[in-house]
Amino acid sequence: MAFLRKAGKISGESHAALVRQYYSTWAGGCPCVFHDGERALHGAAPKAAYLQAGVPCNTLPPYSPDLNPIENVWALLDIRLAATAPKGFEREKAFRRRVRNAVYWVNRNHQKTLRNAVASMPRRLEVVTSGKGAMTPYLSLIHI
């Protein structure tokens, strides 16, 4: 999301280009990458780009919020948006600016949390598997 500059659908080629251009600075050092079932993210070009970056790209099982660290990121954004919410009416342009600033704030102030969320994937998989799909503590920010 942070790298999409133009509206429209992402293709395998455009995703591969994003991986090649940004992966080392955006998520360098992460042991693996997980995506949902979006076909464009798992085509030949993205797979080759991830392979070139030296990181495996895996698919999240459907309906597994405990396996999706983005839920923790949404929680951070919700907290920031609530903290910066105006008391009165907010115009669309101001709201968009506030959302953009909240994303920048999370990126600036929670880099360790974001990296930990991604690095927690092997533990998340183990907990979900051992719990036979039962609810896990990973929807709580305390555990990332």
Side-chain angles (χ1 to χ4, degrees):
M1 174 173 79
F3 306 118
L4 299 177
R5 293 185 202 114
K6 298 178 183 175
K9 295 180 99 176
I10 191 162
S11 69
E13 288 299 328
S14 63
H15 182 70
L18 292 173
V19 170
R20 286 189 296 272
Q21 184 175 359
Y22 294 106
Y23 186 81
S24 64
T25 57
W26 174 64
C30 294
C32 61
V33 174
F34 285 83
H35 287 299
D36 61 16
E38 175 60 46
R39 284 185 283 184
L41 305 180
H42 297 283
K47 283 184 179 181
Y50 281 111
L51 186 63
Q52 182 181 3
V55 63
C57 182
N58 300 298
T59 303
L60 286 170
Y63 311 111
S64 300
D66 291 343
L67 293 176
N68 194 345
I70 194 68
E71 299 300 333
N72 302 119
V73 178
W74 295 137
L76 286 170
L77 282 173
D78 284 345
I79 290 166
R80 184 60 180 175
L81 288 172
T84 59
K87 297 215 184 289
F89 177 79
E90 182 176 26
R91 296 193 179 276
E92 180 183 354
K93 188 174 182 179
F95 174 71
R96 288 176 181 267
R97 186 177 326 113
R98 193 164 57 87
V99 170
R100 185 177 56 247
N101 289 339
V103 170
Y104 291 149
W105 182 85
V106 168
N107 285 334
R108 237 184 356 263
N109 296 295
H110 288 282
Q111 289 182 5
K112 185 176 179 183
T113 301
L114 298 173
R115 288 187 186 276
N116 287 345
V118 173
S120 71
M121 286 305 297
R123 289 191 316 272
R124 290 173 188 250
L125 289 168
E126 185 179 309
V127 170
V128 167
T129 302
S130 66
K132 298 182 176 60
M135 182 70 85
T136 75
Y138 283 104
L139 285 179
S140 168
L141 284 172
I142 296 167
H143 297 285
I144 58 173

